[in-house]
Amino acid sequence: MKKAIFLILILLYAVKLFSYDWKGKMEIFSYDLANRYKNEYFYVLEEYYETFKHRDRNYLTSVMPNFVNTGFWETAFDRYFEWYEIIRIKDLGIGIDKNKELLVFNGPLFVIENVEEITSELLKVETKILAYTRQSLKDDVLDWNFISDTSDDCTFYLEFDGDYINVYANDIDKKFCTFCKMYEEDIALLRECVKTNVWNDIKVTWPRHADGTCDYEDAKGNTASGENQGMESENAPAEAAILKPAPAVGKTATVTENLRLRTDDKTMAEVVATLAAGTRVKVLAPGREYTIDGITSNWVQVSVLGGANDKDGNAIEAGTKGWLFGGYLSETESTESEKANEEAADAKESSALPIVPIAAGGAALVILLAVVLLAAKRRKSS
């Protein structure tokens, strides 16, 4: 009897643990442990964006001194790697380990005991730290001094604000840290800039709050340090921008520099591919007007022409569609082969048009003939 009661209690606990539907919230986190590297973006510490702004890798060690201790010895290379040579990216995620749901800080792991949705933008997550990850607390770049030595319990409040996740520890008034969405290509850029401490020609998709504001631009679209860093910053005032008309619909255009092809006409839309400079596209439709990098232009929907590659040299299928910012497109003449392909496509389309009415007319003629024959047969029989 006791065994049965124990099993029932275990079952009820499991139902409580997994009754919260993470599906809607999972997408906003960096990864689940099984699919971590399949995502195009991660939620990383806000300090990485601050490092972009300050243009100095030493900023990281000034705000998180433990970064200097994240270097390591690599036997395969028989040398010590300094922290900045292969920077540790601190991100936030949800994971599964031995059927336990975890809150993952890319180091310390916390078993999720209960989740309460206080509002649509605020979650209360009750957790217990996994004992074997306690050792990682003292060496972590974050300050975990709020974790008790005598208790494994810890409550986190996760506040969702656009591209930001604010994390509060044990008390909603005590902010622990902030994570921001960062795309893979920007993480790769961060690694390279930190490694070399060279910060030229930076183009970053900066995070935005739910109200559309960006902490990294002033009224002129410049960073707080006063240096324009080529960021994708929308809607700076028109007087601070150069007006550049987008190529017209039906025209061929060339991408003037590596440019992200997106699913919608906005910088926060999903990236389809990053087109290499020189890629040729056909303009299909106009989109919304925005100001990006001090240039006011329209987004345009395009179809990628043959022979296109992404920034890494990988082929992009001809006909791939998406949206590009018109400020980085230059209208060009179609090549003879492109004109021939367009004419062939137009001819194929025009030759296909009469098929429907002809087929419909033929069917009507057959029906009419059948009705006439049937009427004649009835008259004869009468």
Side-chain angles (χ1 to χ4, degrees):
M1 183 66 179
K2 289 183 178 179
K3 189 174 181 180
I5 293 174
F6 178 75
L7 290 173
I8 291 172
L9 290 174
I10 292 294
L11 180 62
L12 290 174
Y13 175 77
V15 169
K16 177 184 179 183
L17 177 59
F18 293 101
S19 61
Y20 184 80
D21 181 15
W22 279 101
K23 187 174 181 181
K25 292 294 183 187
M26 278 284 286
E27 296 178 357
I28 65 172
F29 284 104
S30 306
Y31 61 92
D32 62 73
L33 291 183
N35 299 300
R36 176 177 180 182
Y37 297 105
K38 294 183 180 180
N39 293 283
E40 67 171 23
Y41 63 82
F42 297 85
Y43 275 86
V44 304
L45 285 175
E46 183 180 25
E47 283 75 7
Y48 295 123
Y49 279 112
E50 290 292 320
T51 305
F52 271 130
K53 185 184 78 172
H54 287 81
R55 293 172 166 247
D56 185 359
R57 68 187 179 202
N58 294 316
Y59 170 80
L60 277 175
T61 56
S62 70
V63 293
M64 292 184 289
N66 260 1
F67 252 111
V68 297
N69 299 322
T70 58
F72 59 93
W73 177 271
E74 178 55 60
T75 304
F77 294 92
D78 192 31
R79 79 176 185 88
Y80 183 83
F81 283 84
E82 297 291 345
W83 70 271
Y84 53 80
E85 292 185 86
I86 305 178
I87 185 176
R88 181 182 181 184
I89 300 297
K90 190 75 174 175
D91 54 0
L92 176 69
I94 294 294
I96 304 294
D97 180 40
K98 298 178 181 178
N99 296 323
K100 296 178 181 178
E101 285 190 319
L102 306 174
L103 189 60
V104 182
F105 288 88
N106 195 1
L109 305 177
F110 296 83
V111 179
I112 298 172
E113 299 283 312
N114 186 53
V115 177
E116 178 185 350
E117 188 170 19
I118 298 176
T119 70
S120 59
E121 289 80 32
L122 182 64
L123 294 182
K124 178 182 180 181
V125 185
E126 297 174 357
T127 71
K128 286 184 180 292
I129 186 171
L130 281 179
Y132 70 84
T133 66
R134 267 190 176 274
Q135 181 62 28
S136 65
L137 295 179
K138 67 176 183 178
D139 299 323
D140 198 72
V141 297
L142 293 172
D143 185 357
W144 296 91
N145 60 11
F146 59 87
I147 300 290
S148 171
D149 293 332
T150 58
S151 174
D152 293 333
D153 295 331
C154 185
T155 299
F156 294 99
Y157 294 87
L158 307 182
E159 180 184 42
F160 304 98
D161 177 20
D163 296 327
Y164 290 78
I165 301 177
N166 298 312
V167 181
Y168 302 83
N170 290 330
D171 190 325
I172 189 61
D173 294 324
K174 295 180 180 178
K175 182 183 283 190
F176 172 44
C177 61
T178 296
F179 292 87
C180 307
K181 180 189 288 187
M182 182 179 282
Y183 288 92
E184 282 187 325
E185 53 263 44
D186 293 335
I187 291 177
L189 177 61
L190 174 69
R191 290 185 186 278
E192 182 62 25
C193 289
V194 168
K195 182 179 179 179
T196 62
N197 213 18
V198 176
W199 305 82
N200 297 328
D201 301 322
I202 297 173
K203 288 180 183 265
V204 179
T205 303
W206 298 93
R208 290 185 176 275
H209 296 282
D211 62 4
T213 59
C214 177
D215 294 341
Y216 298 94
E217 65 185 30
D218 60 18
K220 294 183 179 180
N222 296 320
T223 65
S225 61
E227 297 172 310
N228 190 302
Q229 300 180 14
M231 59 184 162
E232 287 188 349
S233 56
E234 297 180 349
N235 289 343
E239 63 268 22
I242 299 171
L243 182 62
K244 182 180 179 181
V249 173
K251 295 294 185 179
T252 298
T254 300
V255 175
T256 58
E257 58 182 84
N258 293 349
L259 188 62
R260 295 180 182 117
L261 181 70
R262 298 184 181 274
T263 56
D264 202 357
D265 53 351
K266 56 185 178 182
T267 59
M268 288 296 115
E270 182 181 350
V271 176
V272 178
T274 302
L275 306 183
T279 299
R280 296 170 68 83
V281 298
K282 183 175 182 180
V283 179
L284 304 178
R288 291 176 290 183
E289 182 182 282
Y290 278 104
T291 297
I292 298 177
D293 293 349
I295 302 171
T296 296
S297 187
N298 286 81
W299 287 80
V300 288
Q301 187 184 37
V302 302
S303 177
V304 178
L305 298 177
N309 294 308
D310 67 13
K311 64 182 179 65
D312 298 318
N314 301 312
I316 299 176
E317 185 179 356
T320 299
K321 295 180 180 179
W323 292 84
L324 295 173
F325 180 60
Y328 295 120
L329 297 176
S330 176
E331 190 172 309
T332 55
E333 289 293 328
S334 298
T335 63
E336 292 302 320
S337 61
E338 289 169 350
K339 289 178 181 179
N341 290 336
E342 289 178 14
E343 289 173 0
D346 292 341
K348 184 178 179 180
E349 185 178 347
S350 60
S351 64
L353 291 176
I355 292 177
V356 174
I358 288 173
L365 183 61
V366 170
I367 293 171
L368 179 61
L369 183 59
V371 170
V372 171
L373 290 175
L374 181 61
K377 186 178 181 180
R378 286 182 177 175
R379 285 199 193 108
K380 186 176 182 180
S381 61
S382 61

